[in-house]
Amino acid sequence: MNGTVTSNHEAAERLDNDDPLKDFRKEFIIPTKGDLKSKTLKRSTQVPEHELQPCIYLCGNSLGLQPRRTSDRINEHLQGWATKGVFGHFFEHEGTTLPPWLHIDDAAAEKIAPLVGASMSEVAIMETLTANLHLLMASFYKPTKEKFKIILEGKAFPSDHVGIQYYTGQLLDIKTVTAYAHSKNLIIGWDLAHAIGNVELSLHEWGADFAAWCTYKYVNSGPGSIAGLFVHEKHGRVEATTDNSGVQPYRPRLSGWWGGEKAVRFNMEPVFVPRAGAAGFQVGNPSALAITGLLASLEIFAETSMHDIRQKSIKITGFLEKLLLEERDGKDTQPYRIITPSNASERGAQLSIQLDPGLLDPVLKLLEEAGIVVDERKPDVIRVAPVPLYNSYVDVFDFVEIFRDASQNTKGVFDIHHTPPSFVARQIDLCIDDIGVDVVKIGAQLLPQDAVSLLRELLLPIATVATPNIPEAKLLLGANDQPDPETQEQMIELAKDLHKLGSKYVLVKGGHFSAKVQDNNKPGSQVVDILYDGNQALLIEKSFLDSKNTHGTVMNNTDPVRGRFVEYLLRQVNGKPTGLNNGAFLERLGKGLLETEKFQIFLTKYQIMLVG
């Protein structure tokens, strides 16, 4: 590798080596590329080598990966249920880290409280996010004639209709907004679905009145798993009253038996006395199975700190932003823009990338084919979230290389795959040993740089013809940082430089980027393709077709040439030489965009070389 790409890859490897959280990656099960493509849940080893590689999972903002210890804890829970039955509610047992089910929600509250900056008594593990929002609003929304409106952010999540904005990834200044709300004598609550496990929170210190969150995103508890809520201690007090003043000794709420005082919960008395703190807002008994999955992940969080997680998050998301925005090939514009704030203090792990109109579906398909997992928000946004506990800087580098290719290829390509260099080397060896090599046609832009090096060093010197487009030609020459050719002479020089790499012929396709010749001082009116044999260069010209589909611009121009050229080379190799000037051949060429008289010149000029 070389140039900017080499520097970025080396930087990614360096950052991974120096990452103090790198060992946590082993704590998670990362699906392989083959796993994602398989139609069954069973893992199979009977797949190509590259499909055994881990996928690039950048979707923790939607669903976190499964911790390896989750299955162990779930099995412990199931074993307790199987062997102890109802006794599992009340008694501790040896050989397990899990508490009795009666206390399992308190155990989870204690472990999750540091993630939100609260005391254990201010946190409850219960219900789902949407249900908790309803329960909290039922308690805290007390409209009066003067104050009856609910203020919320624009483009909020449907259940909120506040945290990190789910669409843009913007991190709101919770401390400042909370203080301002209180200065106006307003109650304020926060939806922290995209904040918990992602950024540092200090809900108690900031004085937030209430908050709610799910746990299946950055907290990795499993799809649709149990949620949590926060109620500031000033709202969670339960006073003992003996007078008849009519003042209720606790904040009104939608009550349920599990929120009752724990010591008398099973007395089943008709009078409800809630537990002090957030636990008093519980309604029904929570799922011990769901909490078990949550506890498995919280064990991992307990081995580090939100401060350390946040520090890596700032660095790795900053690295992602840098790679996405850097100038390549002399171009400072891309068919996308980042709509997440660039200030690290105003965002979490996620970057939201808005694509040009019409690109979302094809780009997502290309990413999926390459084993990359992100998520979408219609009509044109993808959300990319490198999670500090299991994503690497090399993950980010690989994603950006493939994403930039995919977004440039736009609507015309629906298959893309970054092949490991070792697999390319194996393919080359097998081809050489088995059938030999006569024609090189490869999408070099879609390969990692070290795989391109193998093509250049091992394949081109023994090839008969190479047919790169301009970006691929520059890639093969290690000239990514050089400007694109803009004249016929520069195109010819590019073909000559490629020919030095060893192939007998070079056919450079000129339909990409700025490879357009001047015609009557009107730039971009023609496209030139170059066929070069080491001595002479044939120019094949055609009017430029303006299209956002870079693979459809002038491919009809070179395809007939390349296709027939390759066909007759192969016939020659197989001992079946065929005359090139007969009418049947011209008829088989097809009309395409290439004038037959120009192709006639091509045939005449190269007849001897082809059929010798």
Side-chain angles (χ1 to χ4, degrees):
M1 290 186 284
N2 53 74
T4 302
V5 175
T6 303
S7 175
N8 289 338
H9 187 267
E10 291 173 348
E13 291 182 324
R14 225 172 19 250
L15 288 165
D16 280 334
N17 289 333
D18 297 339
D19 177 15
L21 301 182
K22 61 185 177 184
D23 289 339
F24 284 105
R25 182 177 171 93
K26 298 192 294 287
E27 291 284 346
F28 293 86
I29 301 172
I30 303 175
T32 67
K33 296 177 180 179
D35 289 337
L36 297 179
K37 294 180 180 179
S38 175
K39 295 182 179 180
T40 70
L41 296 179
K42 184 178 180 181
R43 285 196 153 183
S44 173
T45 58
Q46 304 301 313
V47 294
E49 180 182 347
H50 64 269
E51 292 194 356
L52 296 175
Q53 300 298 315
C55 73
I56 300 174
Y57 193 89
L58 296 167
C59 205
N61 59 312
S62 185
L63 177 66
L65 289 178
Q66 183 185 133
R68 292 188 180 277
R69 61 185 78 182
T70 297
S71 58
D72 293 335
R73 298 296 175 266
I74 295 294
N75 285 333
E76 287 179 26
H77 169 80
L78 295 176
Q79 185 67 12
W81 179 23
T83 61
K84 303 300 178 183
V86 73
F87 291 162
H89 275 295
F90 308 105
F91 304 111
E92 293 188 3
H93 297 95
E94 297 178 359
T96 178
T97 61
L98 299 175
W101 304 329
L102 178 63
H103 306 300
I104 196 168
D105 53 332
D106 289 340
E110 182 178 16
K111 288 182 179 294
I112 208 169
L115 273 64
V116 295
S119 66
M120 172 187 168
S121 65
E122 293 176 304
V123 174
I125 300 302
M126 55 184 281
E127 307 297 336
T128 64
L129 171 57
T130 300
N132 287 339
L133 287 171
H134 284 289
L135 291 169
L136 289 166
M137 289 299 292
S139 178
F140 283 90
Y141 178 55
K142 300 300 178 186
T144 66
K145 185 176 181 180
E146 293 77 23
K147 291 183 178 180
F148 55 87
K149 293 183 178 180
I150 299 174
I151 301 174
L152 70 161
E153 59 177 330
K155 204 173 179 61
F157 194 77
S159 292
D160 297 344
H161 233 172
V162 228
I164 289 180
Q165 218 285 341
Y166 83 101
Y167 184 78
T168 66
Q170 179 185 4
L171 170 61
L172 304 180
D173 188 341
I174 299 176
K175 180 180 180 180
T176 300
V177 175
T178 298
Y180 184 79
H182 287 167
S183 74
K184 302 298 181 181
N185 197 28
L186 301 175
I187 292 287
I188 184 166
W190 295 89
D191 179 344
L192 302 177
H194 286 264
I196 186 170
N198 182 6
V199 297
E200 292 180 89
L201 299 167
S202 299
L203 294 182
H204 176 83
E205 177 187 337
W206 296 337
D209 294 296
F210 65 90
W213 58 84
C214 57
T215 62
Y216 53 80
K217 299 180 187 293
Y218 296 98
V219 188
N220 316 303
S221 67
S225 191
I226 199 161
L229 59 76
F230 163 88
V231 176
H232 197 279
E233 64 178 9
K234 63 188 176 187
H235 299 299
R237 296 190 181 99
V238 177
E239 306 290 346
T241 61
T242 57
D243 57 28
N244 296 318
S245 63
V247 177
Q248 193 164 2
Y250 56 86
R251 172 172 283 277
R253 67 204 63 185
L254 291 175
S255 304
W257 79 290
W258 201 259
E261 182 56 48
K262 199 170 184 179
V264 296
R265 179 182 289 161
F266 285 90
N267 291 353
M268 304 300 179
E269 296 178 351
V271 178
F272 176 76
V273 179
R275 295 179 66 183
F281 285 76
Q282 293 174 299
V283 181
N285 56 320
S287 165
L289 178 61
I291 293 180
T292 298
L294 172 59
L295 285 172
S297 179
L298 292 176
E299 289 178 18
I300 298 173
F301 279 91
E303 295 172 13
T304 180
S305 68
M306 279 309 305
H307 174 77
D308 289 347
I309 290 172
R310 176 62 171 155
Q311 291 307 302
K312 178 180 175 181
S313 180
I314 290 172
K315 288 184 66 175
I316 197 169
T317 299
F319 186 61
L320 170 63
E321 180 184 43
K322 169 186 175 293
L323 298 187
L324 285 168
L325 296 181
E326 72 180 3
E327 183 178 311
R328 297 275 185 94
D329 302 326
K331 298 177 178 62
D332 59 1
T333 59
Q334 299 292 342
Y336 57 81
R337 66 187 183 98
I338 298 173
I339 61 175
T340 307
S342 60
N343 188 331
S345 66
E346 297 177 12
R347 68 186 184 202
Q350 171 187 321
L351 289 186
S352 295
I353 305 170
Q354 187 175 45
L355 290 152
D356 284 353
L359 298 189
L360 180 64
D361 288 341
V363 165
L364 282 176
K365 183 171 178 61
L366 297 178
L367 294 178
E368 182 180 333
E369 288 293 326
I372 294 176
V373 183
V374 294
D375 77 353
E376 63 175 302
R377 285 296 177 266
K378 297 288 187 181
D380 50 20
V381 169
I382 66 168
R383 303 186 303 173
V384 184
V387 175
L389 285 176
Y390 51 75
N391 281 126
S392 67
Y393 291 89
V394 168
D395 281 344
V396 169
F397 170 83
D398 288 342
F399 160 75
V400 173
E401 290 301 298
I402 298 172
F403 172 73
R404 290 181 71 125
D405 287 340
S407 61
Q408 289 290 349
N409 282 318
T410 64
K411 303 176 185 177
V413 179
F414 287 90
D415 289 290
I416 183 172
H417 180 67
H418 266 232
T419 308
S422 59
F423 187 72
V424 175
R426 184 180 173 193
Q427 285 182 311
I428 292 172
D429 290 340
L430 288 174
C431 287
I432 293 173
D433 294 342
D434 186 14
I435 61 174
V437 176
D438 296 291
V439 179
V440 178
K441 176 62 185 85
I442 187 74
Q445 270 196 296
L446 310 184
L447 293 172
Q449 288 295 312
D450 29 5
V452 173
S453 298
L454 290 172
L455 287 175
R456 181 169 53 237
E457 296 165 9
L458 302 180
L459 195 55
L460 286 179
I462 60 172
T464 301
V465 57
T467 65
N469 57 37
I470 290 172
E472 292 165 349
K474 290 170 61 179
L475 196 65
L476 289 169
L477 291 169
N480 278 345
D481 296 331
Q482 299 300 312
D484 292 342
E486 297 180 346
T487 66
Q488 293 180 359
E489 290 73 19
Q490 291 173 351
M491 284 285 292
I492 293 172
E493 289 304 313
L494 182 66
K496 288 181 177 179
D497 289 341
L498 277 168
H499 190 266
K500 294 174 185 177
L501 296 180
S503 64
K504 188 173 181 181
Y505 306 106
V506 172
L507 175 62
V508 180
K509 300 173 290 183
H512 287 67
F513 299 94
S514 61
K516 309 160 195 172
V517 299
Q518 301 281 338
D519 177 28
N520 298 324
N521 297 318
K522 295 180 180 178
S525 61
Q526 285 186 306
V527 175
V528 177
D529 304 310
I530 303 293
L531 182 61
Y532 184 69
D533 68 349
N535 296 306
Q536 294 178 296
L538 173 67
L539 277 64
I540 307 167
E541 302 178 15
K542 191 60 189 174
S543 297
F544 181 79
L545 299 180
D546 191 14
S547 169
K548 293 192 70 173
N549 173 4
T550 59
H551 274 63
T553 306
V554 291
M555 286 293 284
N556 286 339
N557 200 11
T558 53
D559 272 347
V561 179
R562 183 179 61 216
R564 297 304 172 222
F565 189 33
V566 168
E567 176 184 344
Y568 281 91
L569 281 171
L570 292 176
R571 287 193 178 191
Q572 182 188 24
V573 169
N574 292 329
K576 301 176 182 178
T578 304
L580 296 181
N581 273 327
N582 60 66
F585 175 81
L586 293 177
E587 184 177 343
R588 291 177 61 200
L589 170 65
K591 295 182 179 179
L593 294 176
L594 180 67
E595 295 110 334
T596 54
E597 57 267 32
K598 288 187 177 178
F599 192 73
Q600 182 69 40
I601 295 172
F602 161 75
L603 295 178
T604 303
K605 203 167 190 176
Y606 287 88
Q607 181 177 3
I608 296 176
M609 287 189 292
L610 291 177
V611 299

